[in-house]
Amino acid sequence: MKTDIILCGVGGQGILSIATIIGEAAMNENLYIKQAEVHGMSQRGGDVQSNLRISSEPIHSDLIALGSADVIISMEPMEALRYLPYLSKEGWIITSSAPFVNIPNYPDLEAVKEELKQVPHVIAFDIEQMAKDNAVPRSANVILLGAAQQALGIDYDKLEAAVRRVFARKGETVVEANVKALALGKEAQR
């Protein structure tokens, strides 16, 4: 088993929380894991990206080569396109369809969506709106993770258990909101 994942988005969207949950689930499966993070201007809404590699065999590098990512999980559609050169031909993009417009020259959203449609395996939906509609407004990132579950190859129960462990220190209300968000995302992938 080997899964190379690129997580990307904008500072403050919860990319590193997704990486922590996936890493927790993988370690509890006794899998090897390597992670490399790039924190752009994350405090100011800059690019945040993480390479996450999971395998049943030892991993020698924490970086993902061009054309070899199995999954790109993106909190923002333009960021998904930024990392498209890293996606393998059979890889999946799981992304929010709603833009986070933090730059004056953000590309035309319809052009971004058209480019995403050229990728064979894409799941794209408005995670922010789904989070608001379901009273879990701070858990859009976990909704996206739930939608990525199948592409990741990690059992749903293992991800849920990892969500519970990662958020346990924040209290039961936060845990249950994130468990709900994970389930919403899983349902949205169908």
Side-chain angles (χ1 to χ4, degrees):
M1 182 259 181
K2 175 200 78 70
T3 307
D4 287 341
I5 308 155
I6 292 179
L7 301 155
C8 54
V10 174
Q13 289 186 307
I15 289 299
L16 301 180
S17 294
I18 294 174
T20 301
I21 294 165
I22 294 171
E24 176 79 14
M27 289 191 322
N28 281 300
E29 287 275 314
N30 293 318
L31 296 171
Y32 293 92
I33 183 169
K34 290 247 184 187
Q35 181 177 4
E37 297 173 2
V38 175
H39 304 264
M41 301 264 300
S42 60
Q43 294 300 315
R44 297 196 173 126
D47 176 37
V48 175
Q49 181 261 340
S50 179
N51 281 222
L52 188 58
R53 304 188 73 206
I54 301 169
S55 178
S56 53
E57 302 295 323
I59 303 165
H60 300 290
S61 173
D62 53 359
L63 297 177
I64 298 170
L66 289 171
S68 64
D70 299 299
V71 184
I72 294 174
I73 300 174
S74 181
M75 292 291 295
E76 208 283 328
M78 184 186 72
E79 292 298 327
L81 290 179
R82 180 191 308 255
Y83 294 99
L84 192 55
Y86 288 89
L87 190 66
S88 72
K89 289 182 181 178
E90 295 303 314
W92 280 85
I93 292 178
I94 295 88
T95 185
S96 175
S97 60
F100 184 93
V101 181
N102 61 339
I103 55 175
N105 59 343
Y106 192 95
D108 177 65
L109 183 56
E110 290 310 311
V112 170
K113 288 180 179 180
E114 281 304 313
E115 208 167 328
L116 281 171
K117 286 180 183 176
Q118 305 305 311
V119 179
H121 308 293
V122 176
I123 296 172
F125 61 103
D126 190 340
I127 59 173
E128 294 291 339
Q129 191 61 53
M130 182 179 275
K132 288 175 190 167
D133 291 347
N134 288 279
V136 290
R138 296 182 50 100
S139 301
N141 61 330
V142 180
I143 289 174
L144 193 64
L145 175 60
Q149 179 264 321
Q150 253 184 346
L152 293 172
I154 298 174
D155 289 338
Y156 180 82
D157 294 343
K158 304 294 181 186
L159 280 178
E160 182 181 320
V163 165
R164 290 183 182 283
R165 284 190 298 275
V166 167
F167 291 108
R169 65 182 173 80
K170 294 188 176 190
E172 194 60 26
T173 302
V174 173
V175 169
E176 291 309 316
N178 282 285
V179 167
K180 178 180 179 180
L182 189 72
L184 289 166
K186 180 182 182 207
E187 193 58 36
Q189 74 168 332
R190 293 175 192 233

